Amino acid sequence: QVQLVESGGGLVQPGGSLRLSCAASGSFFRIMVLGWYRQAPGKQRELVASMTIGDSTTYADSVKGRFTISRDNAKNTVYLQMNSLEPEDTAVYYCYANIYGTSGSQKIPSFKNYWGQGTQVTVSS
């Protein structure tokens, strides 16, 4: 079983910065994609940023130039550096991973999606 645990959320004033972390634990062969999604009240969950095994990155238009996704392969951890935060960034942020590996008694590896429990980010004065 693979688990994703986020940390780093909190309350920050507009223009401030936060760094989110997500650590993957368990048994797996390779993390194919790491990313961050967010969901604000009354809105659908949306992609914020993602990074593939080949280190290509994708950002939502609303965060380009302000957010940066990165990872530490040795720690199986992905980060989201958030600068120039705006009230519109307020949401629950979820870590996402697509992982190639086995599960339980499974002997043949496969691709599976995993989600963290979410961490609250509130931007307010």
Side-chain angles (χ1 to χ4, degrees), residues 1-2 27-28 101-108 110 112 114:
Q1 182 69 37
V2 176
S27 179
F28 51 85
T102 58
S103 179
S105 61
Q106 182 183 10
K107 294 292 185 179
I108 306 300
S110 62
K112 294 184 182 298
Y114 297 90

Side-chain angles (χ1 to χ4, degrees), residues 9-21:
L11 175 64
V12 65
Q13 293 184 340
S17 299
L18 285 173
R19 189 172 83 152
L20 306 183
S21 300

Side-chain angles (χ1 to χ4, degrees), residues 55-67:
D55 292 334
S56 64
T57 58
T58 300
Y59 294 94
D61 289 340
S62 60
V63 307
K64 286 182 178 178
R66 300 188 298 120
F67 292 8

Side-chain angles (χ1 to χ4, degrees), residues 30-42:
R30 186 171 297 274
I31 300 175
M32 306 303 295
V33 181
L34 291 170
W36 292 93
Y37 287 72
R38 68 185 181 187
Q39 187 168 23

